[in-house]
Amino acid sequence: MGTGRDLSGRRKDGTEFPVEVALNPVQRKGRIGVLATVIDITDRVKVRESQQLVIHELQHRTKNLFAVFQAIASRSLEDGKTPGEIRTLLNGRVRALSDAYDALANSGSEGAPLSEIIMRQLAGFSSRVAIAGCDIIVGPSSAQQFALMVH
């Protein structure tokens, strides 16, 4: 019943909630009737909305990531570099971007410490570099930019 439509029920207090209605034919004492089953699907609707939000966010972030990668690739191909130089630049820049994403993934939703992003880029020089001062938390966009600048 109502396939493809959003159906709602109404509680005694007047509030509405999403429902699913199933109809089944029944026969009793020679009489034919219909058994209607009404199911509250509030939880199912909330889960579906959450999934759609996550999917939309993932699509948005993936689109942004490809745009960043396209910019990195374009910059790496400028100025008539040799294929070996291009490979080295591109690999280093992609690794810097990957390290920034790792730092963000390990730090939670508010951002990542700038010192961690810098240390990841300078890991090969850790015996010659010291970072001091208060730690600043940077968001995803800034983390990418700092990682690429330091690299």
Side-chain angles (χ1 to χ4, degrees):
M1 178 178 162
T3 303
R5 293 185 176 172
D6 292 334
L7 301 176
S8 61
R10 188 180 312 266
R11 295 183 181 91
K12 286 182 181 180
D13 67 3
T15 59
E16 289 190 9
F17 60 99
V19 297
E20 178 178 274
V21 178
L23 301 175
N24 292 304
V26 293
Q27 187 173 9
R28 188 169 183 203
K29 295 181 183 179
R31 296 183 66 192
I32 297 175
V34 176
L35 174 65
T37 306
V38 180
I39 302 166
D40 182 345
I41 59 169
T42 301
D43 292 338
R44 188 186 319 164
V45 169
K46 287 180 181 176
V47 166
R48 187 178 338 129
E49 288 171 353
S50 291
Q51 288 173 338
Q52 288 302 314
L53 181 65
V54 169
I55 288 169
H56 178 72
E57 182 65 22
L58 183 60
Q59 289 172 334
H60 175 72
R61 288 179 185 235
T62 301
K63 196 177 193 180
N64 285 348
L65 182 59
F66 281 122
V68 169
F69 182 77
Q70 183 179 21
I72 289 171
S74 293
R75 289 282 296 149
S76 298
L77 294 171
E78 290 177 353
D79 302 328
K81 296 175 180 75
T82 67
E85 291 170 326
I86 292 170
R87 182 176 52 249
T88 300
L89 275 173
L90 193 54
N91 285 339
R93 289 174 176 167
V94 170
R95 192 174 328 104
L97 185 62
S98 174
D99 286 345
Y101 273 94
D102 275 348
L104 289 165
N106 294 332
S107 298
S109 61
E110 65 277 349
L114 181 57
S115 60
E116 182 180 345
I117 292 166
I118 293 171
M119 285 309 293
R120 284 175 179 257
Q121 295 308 308
L122 301 176
F125 306 99
S126 60
S127 63
R128 295 185 271 170
V129 175
I131 297 178
C134 63
D135 215 1
I136 299 171
I137 303 297
V138 294
S141 180
S142 297
Q144 289 175 7
Q145 297 300 321
F146 277 112
L148 292 172
M149 285 188 295
V150 173
H151 173 75

